[in-house]
Amino acid sequence: MGQVVDFVEVSTEGLESSPVAEALAGLRANEARYFNTKYKTTFVVEKASDATELLEWVSRILKEERDIVIASPALEVSENDVDGITWVHVFYESGLSINVLYKREDGGKRAVGFKLSQGMEVPEELSSFKFARQKSKLAGEIRGSYFVIKGEY
């Protein structure tokens, strides 16, 4: 059983090894609030070591679509299945958060999003991306980017 992410009382539980643990916890809480508000669902994370199949799926998409291999260790993974969309989030020790939005219907929207926690540098493997900035009460400043998935996974 995973850990329910509380977006009211933000906790660094599971993220303690990150040098930006507090900002990453805020980023994770920001995602939990989004899913609660938009889909009325609970955001649950589990240790990456307990979600190897999901982690491999995300890694495969990154590698096959853009030849990206994330250098930082994954700490936690979340999977949400809402409105015909599979959402997988991976939270990395560096402070990086990756989400895969994958509509299951043919021709549905499919994309990979990257979010950088406040205080972290852009990882070398993502240096070709331009990052937009947004403010968050929970996470401070979030820098984000994305790409559209072209293949079938």
Side-chain angles (χ1 to χ4, degrees):
M1 182 65 192
Q3 168 194 342
V4 173
V5 177
D6 186 342
F7 56 89
V8 177
E9 297 292 326
V10 179
S11 167
T12 59
E13 183 180 345
L15 307 174
E16 297 90 352
S17 65
S18 173
V20 291
E22 287 186 25
L24 183 57
L27 186 57
R28 182 178 65 182
N30 189 64
E31 298 295 352
R33 182 177 57 196
Y34 172 81
F35 277 87
N36 178 269
T37 302
K38 181 153 177 95
Y39 299 111
K40 305 293 184 236
T41 190
T42 304
F43 195 81
V44 177
V45 293
E46 57 186 310
K47 292 178 185 175
S49 59
D50 294 337
T52 55
E53 192 173 305
L54 287 173
L55 193 55
E56 288 169 4
W57 183 70
V58 171
S59 297
R60 179 177 160 227
I61 291 170
L62 293 171
K63 180 69 175 161
E64 292 181 13
E65 292 282 326
R66 295 291 180 103
D67 198 28
I68 296 171
V69 176
I70 303 300
S72 180
L75 298 177
E76 293 183 334
V77 177
S78 175
E79 180 180 26
N80 289 281
D81 194 352
V82 290
D83 291 350
I85 305 168
T86 297
W87 289 86
V88 177
H89 288 75
V90 182
F91 298 93
Y92 294 88
E93 189 172 63
S94 64
L96 172 67
S97 169
I98 294 179
N99 70 75
V100 175
L101 173 157
Y102 199 90
K103 279 197 174 181
R104 291 182 300 282
E105 69 185 42
D106 287 342
K109 182 178 179 181
R110 297 170 180 170
V112 174
F114 304 105
K115 291 183 181 174
L116 308 178
S117 294
Q118 188 169 326
M120 74 170 287
E121 296 296 323
V122 176
E124 179 62 35
E125 60 270 28
L126 302 180
S127 62
S128 66
F129 288 87
K130 301 281 187 226
F131 287 86
R133 297 174 187 274
Q134 76 179 67
K135 292 285 187 189
S136 163
K137 287 182 181 178
L138 292 169
E141 183 179 80
I142 301 170
R143 291 164 290 156
S145 192
Y146 75 98
F147 69 84
V148 174
I149 296 171
K150 293 182 174 43
E152 297 285 324
Y153 301 92

